[in-house]
Amino acid sequence: MATNPAKAILSTQNVSKGFGGQPVLNDVSLTIHEGDRIGLMGRNGAGKSTLLGVIAGLDEPDTGLVTRCQGLRVALLSQQCGLDPGKTVAEVLDEAAADVLALVEAYHRASDALAASPPDNAEHRALEERCAGLHHALDVADAWNLTQDIKKVSVSLRLPPSDRLVGTLSGGEARRVDLAAALIRRPDLLLLDEPTNQIDTWSVEWLEDFIANYAGSCVLVTHDRYFLNRVVNRIVELEFNRIYSFPGNYTRFLELKSNLVKHEQRAETNRQSFLRRELTWLRRGPKARTSKDKGRIQRYYETEAETGPESHRNMCFEIPAPERLGKRILEARDVSFGYDENALFKGFDFLMLKGMRVGIVGPNGCGKTSLLRVLMGHEEPLSGEVFRGERTHILYVDQTKEEVDPNETVLQHVSNGESYFPIGDRKLFVPTYLERFLFDRNTVRVPMKNLSGGETNRVVLAKKLLRGGNLLILDEPTNDLDLATLRVLEEAINSFDGCAFIVSHDRYFLNRVCTHLLVFLDNGEILQLAGNYDDYLAYKKRIAAETPAQKRPRKARPDKKASPNGQPRRLTWKENKELEGIEAAIEATEAELAELETRVASPDFYRANTLDPDTAGDDIKRTFAALESARAKVETLYARWAELDTLKK
């Protein structure tokens, strides 16, 4: 039996949009349905963000039409943070929740009016329809659990304290607050432009579950292919001013796109064969005496005027290696690091072997970059030793964005204007090297200010890789790179004749390049695994299955959720009072926890506590003990709140 197609909630029809005479979108048509999870893909500059702005109603198209369902609620997370710097985090979240709260108030007003109106008349029926529509909107927004969900979003995205001003937040903190506000709005259509930027793997996994269970529709732009695989049910690609729609996730998209490219290549091969045959016939000098001959000549010229399938220029990353690795590459023995007695990691033993590409994963602030700095010799460990081979040359590509002189040319920025760059005992012709990064001989003379954001990222990466080395250390290399560039970087790492350490939150990237993983655990230990991120997930699943939920069977207890006669019991007076005050208790404890986390995360915390050696260790110990106590208390309060709320319902 055929199923009814989902209702269309928004459509763009033949939309075109340009800036300064430069076309970005050209005759783009797209329809979004209820329940869609659309991954919007395309190279840098293809118009993805522009299309999201047009869909959100922030930009008007130059030509074409955008049609929306009546009352459609849309929220956009853009790449540029648009939050008011004078507002606190709490005010931003309250403002985001205002639309949903307005829906609740409208529903209550309509329900009261419905109860007061006489039945079986036009006004009554209109009120019934309005109540039904508002109830559906509240279901989509999941407004019934709004307060609890705001707290979950805040904890899961690790938001800064609620009383912090937006203007005082770092770029990453402001980005997470902006994302939280978009999620809390719970619109009918959620538009997310790079939502996984600057959040760690654990928060990304929570976001995946959130969007997978989201009642509304979603369009998202992201380079996180693991995210696309787990969340989307349709891929839409912007390419060469055309739009393509593919059903399924990212893996399915790769299959369908490959088939499409093969079909276009076969069609072009057939076109060229036809032209060769017809050209041979024309060279024999046939006279167009019949209509058949005239038609054949006309078909030749029409086919000749057609263009073949467009293709992108090939890009290739080269990572020059000065010399081959020796027998000893790098070894760590019982290494610990931290501040005073508080170790970020401890007892770390590691031996790097030829061919190893090691991924490093863990939540933000756990010590991943610190581990790299210890292994490179930039930091001294608290205990243990690190041995680096005599022939080990480290190529470190960090996550800092260096200052770019906008008036410098590409060649000046990469090699101080020199055409040749020394690599070991040879010289590399820099313009040829830059061609592999899609910068031709003319572009290398172009000022940096004329480059797009994606092109600037490629130039900076090209400059860092030019230094060469046989032990590659990459700290968040995938930030701000489009999918095409990521795939080329993966190929470069896989073909690199050396070893590598790679810190990344991009799980798909780790799957493609890593032979081993180092995973930071909560107790300061580092788990070592052979394999990639999927192997780590399988390991976690296996360990969870092997660990019994309860060590010993408990004695049977009466069900606290039922009365002696088997009916659901009511809350006692004491439990009602506890439920009334539990939100305030959670807020107070979370504020205490946020204050402690902010204090510990600040470099000044350790600096201030090392001024007096006699009391430094005790102060730090007390702070960390208070931090763990606050975390445990928050978890206990949430569990108790859920229990009491279930009993009340």
Side-chain angles (χ1 to χ4, degrees):
M1 183 174 67
T3 58
N4 294 326
K7 174 185 174 183
I9 59 173
L10 185 145
S11 66
T12 65
Q13 301 162 25
N14 308 112
V15 163
S16 297
K17 180 72 177 177
F19 298 95
Q22 181 69 28
V24 178
L25 300 176
N26 184 25
D27 203 29
V28 169
S29 296
L30 173 67
T31 300
I32 302 172
H33 300 87
E34 286 184 342
D36 268 347
R37 303 284 187 276
I38 297 175
L40 185 59
M41 290 176 47
R43 297 203 172 201
N44 289 334
K48 304 183 295 295
S49 297
T50 302
L51 180 57
L52 288 187
V54 170
I55 291 173
L58 300 180
D59 294 321
E60 289 296 325
D62 297 335
T63 61
L65 182 66
V66 180
T67 306
R68 300 177 180 85
C69 280
Q70 186 175 4
L72 184 72
R73 297 169 55 249
V74 182
L76 169 65
L77 170 73
S78 63
Q79 291 193 41
Q80 303 300 324
C81 180
L83 300 178
D84 185 346
K87 291 186 175 178
T88 65
V89 173
E91 288 171 339
V92 170
L93 300 185
D94 290 342
E95 187 178 87
D99 290 343
V100 178
L101 294 175
L103 277 177
V104 175
E105 292 177 6
Y107 174 73
H108 287 312
R109 287 197 302 270
S111 298
D112 293 341
L114 178 64
S117 68
D120 300 328
N121 61 22
E123 180 185 1
H124 189 85
R125 288 191 292 273
L127 285 170
E128 283 182 333
E129 291 181 4
R130 176 162 174 73
C131 284
L134 288 169
H135 195 283
H136 174 71
L138 290 171
D139 284 341
V140 170
D142 195 19
W144 318 113
N145 302 307
L146 181 62
T147 303
Q148 187 174 356
D149 288 346
I150 291 175
K151 296 182 183 298
K152 288 181 181 178
V153 170
S154 301
V155 172
S156 300
L157 294 181
R158 305 174 191 269
L159 298 190
S162 59
D163 59 349
R164 286 273 302 278
L165 286 174
V166 171
T168 67
L169 303 180
S170 67
E173 290 173 328
R175 176 73 176 172
R176 294 198 297 273
V177 173
D178 205 1
L179 173 59
L183 301 181
I184 288 168
R185 285 189 179 95
R186 296 296 182 93
D188 306 306
L189 177 58
L190 183 61
L191 309 175
L192 302 176
D193 197 350
E194 297 292 357
T196 62
N197 277 4
Q198 300 180 346
I199 61 175
D200 59 31
T201 305
W202 280 252
S203 296
V204 170
E205 290 176 349
W206 173 86
L207 184 60
E208 287 172 349
D209 293 334
F210 180 94
I211 294 178
N213 296 311
Y214 188 61
S217 304
C218 183
V219 180
L220 56 96
V221 175
T222 180
H223 65 261
D224 190 328
R225 293 154 292 178
Y226 208 98
F227 192 87
L228 290 170
N229 257 346
R230 295 194 62 190
V231 169
V232 306
N233 54 27
R234 181 154 63 115
I235 295 285
V236 171
E237 184 181 31
L238 286 169
E239 188 176 41
F240 303 121
N241 288 326
R242 296 194 299 270
I243 192 166
Y244 302 88
S245 181
F246 302 88
N249 60 10
Y250 181 75
T251 300
R252 181 61 175 154
F253 157 75
L254 292 178
E255 297 172 1
L256 296 175
K257 183 64 183 290
S258 176
N259 292 336
L260 176 63
V261 170
K262 289 177 182 177
H263 172 76
E264 290 178 339
Q265 289 173 342
R266 283 196 300 269
E268 176 62 12
T269 300
N270 294 337
R271 187 177 79 92
Q272 295 296 336
S273 298
F274 170 79
L275 291 175
R276 284 194 296 270
R277 290 195 308 269
E278 295 304 289
L279 183 60
T280 302
W281 176 72
L282 281 173
R283 284 173 175 168
R284 289 201 294 263
K287 300 194 186 207
R289 294 173 177 166
T290 67
S291 59
K292 183 176 181 181
D293 290 339
K294 291 179 182 178
R296 184 172 180 179
I297 294 172
Q298 172 114 11
R299 281 195 306 276
Y300 170 80
Y301 286 114
E302 288 175 351
T303 305
E304 185 186 39
E306 295 175 2
T307 58
E310 296 181 89
S311 60
H312 296 287
R313 289 174 57 197
N314 291 327
M315 179 169 52
C316 170
F317 286 171
E318 180 180 355
I319 307 174
E323 60 178 307
R324 297 182 65 85
L325 288 162
K327 290 184 178 180
R328 169 179 276 185
I329 302 171
L330 184 142
E331 183 179 0
R333 296 181 185 173
D334 196 27
V335 170
S336 300
F337 180 79
Y339 302 92
D340 296 325
E341 297 179 4
N342 300 284
L344 290 172
F345 52 87
K346 54 192 177 183
F348 178 62
D349 294 306
F350 181 79
L351 178 64
M352 176 67 84
L353 302 176
K354 288 184 178 180
M356 289 178 65
R357 298 186 296 274
V358 183
I360 304 176
V361 297
N364 289 336
C366 67
K368 301 186 293 295
T369 300
S370 296
L371 173 62
L372 295 181
R373 293 182 62 80
V374 169
L375 295 178
M376 290 187 292
H378 297 175
E379 298 278 0
E380 287 297 322
L382 293 179
S383 62
E385 294 180 281
V386 178
F387 303 94
R388 289 171 290 277
E390 293 181 359
R391 298 177 64 182
T392 299
H393 297 275
I394 294 175
L395 171 56
Y396 180 41
V397 179
D398 61 11
Q399 55 182 301
T400 59
K401 293 184 180 294
E402 61 183 82
E403 291 294 326
V404 174
D405 184 348
N407 297 315
E408 275 188 336
T409 66
V410 172
L411 185 60
Q412 287 172 333
H413 180 75
V414 173
S415 62
N416 296 321
E418 298 294 330
S419 295
Y420 289 89
F421 189 86
I423 300 291
D425 56 355
R426 64 189 179 95
K427 288 186 176 181
L428 179 69
F429 188 51
V430 179
T432 300
Y433 170 75
L434 288 172
E435 280 186 347
R436 300 188 177 100
F437 288 81
L438 298 186
F439 297 105
D440 57 31
R441 301 293 175 92
N442 295 323
T443 308
V444 298
R445 309 292 178 185
V446 170
M448 295 289 291
K449 63 184 178 183
N450 292 352
L451 302 181
S452 68
E455 289 172 330
T456 302
N457 290 334
R458 289 208 305 273
V459 171
V460 172
L461 183 60
K463 179 179 180 179
K464 291 179 177 179
L465 293 177
L466 188 59
R467 296 191 297 264
N470 48 26
L471 176 55
L472 183 63
I473 296 184
L474 301 174
D475 195 353
E476 295 290 354
T478 62
N479 286 349
D480 303 319
L481 298 181
D482 61 19
L483 289 177
T485 309
L486 280 175
R487 286 194 288 266
V488 177
L489 180 58
E490 289 167 355
E491 293 168 4
I493 294 174
N494 285 329
S495 60
F496 177 59
D497 189 19
C499 297
F501 285 108
I502 304 158
V503 174
S504 179
H505 296 310
D506 190 328
R507 297 155 294 173
Y508 197 97
F509 185 83
L510 294 173
N511 273 344
R512 290 288 306 275
V513 302
C514 290
T515 61
H516 296 74
L517 276 189
L518 300 178
V519 184
F520 277 73
L521 304 178
D522 293 336
N523 59 2
E525 295 182 0
I526 300 177
L527 174 68
Q528 301 187 36
L529 288 172
N532 57 21
Y533 192 81
D534 279 346
D535 295 317
Y536 166 59
L537 292 180
Y539 166 81
K540 284 207 307 183
K541 186 176 181 181
R542 185 173 69 252
I543 292 299
E546 291 174 356
T547 304
Q550 295 175 328
K551 298 291 183 182
R552 297 185 301 272
R554 294 183 179 179
K555 295 182 179 179
R557 295 181 178 178
D559 187 2
K560 291 185 178 181
K561 296 182 181 180
S563 60
N565 60 8
Q567 297 298 319
R569 75 171 180 86
R570 296 170 179 263
L571 287 176
T572 65
W573 179 88
K574 185 177 180 181
E575 288 172 333
N576 262 313
K577 282 296 185 184
E578 183 183 0
L579 181 58
E580 289 174 5
I582 202 166
E583 289 189 41
I586 289 175
E587 289 178 359
T589 309
E590 285 182 336
E592 178 189 351
L593 175 61
E595 191 275 331
L596 288 167
E597 288 178 335
T598 303
R599 192 193 312 171
V600 170
S602 171
D604 293 336
F605 168 72
Y606 299 98
R607 193 177 300 118
N609 279 289
T610 53
L611 294 177
D612 186 353
D614 295 331
T615 61
D618 294 337
D619 289 343
I620 292 176
K621 280 182 180 179
R622 281 195 296 270
T623 303
F624 273 94
L627 182 66
E628 292 304 317
S629 176
R631 284 175 176 163
K633 188 175 180 181
V634 168
E635 293 180 3
T636 302
L637 285 171
Y638 266 117
R640 181 58 174 164
W641 186 16
E643 180 184 358
L644 294 175
D645 191 54
T646 302
L647 285 173
K648 183 177 180 180
K649 291 178 179 179

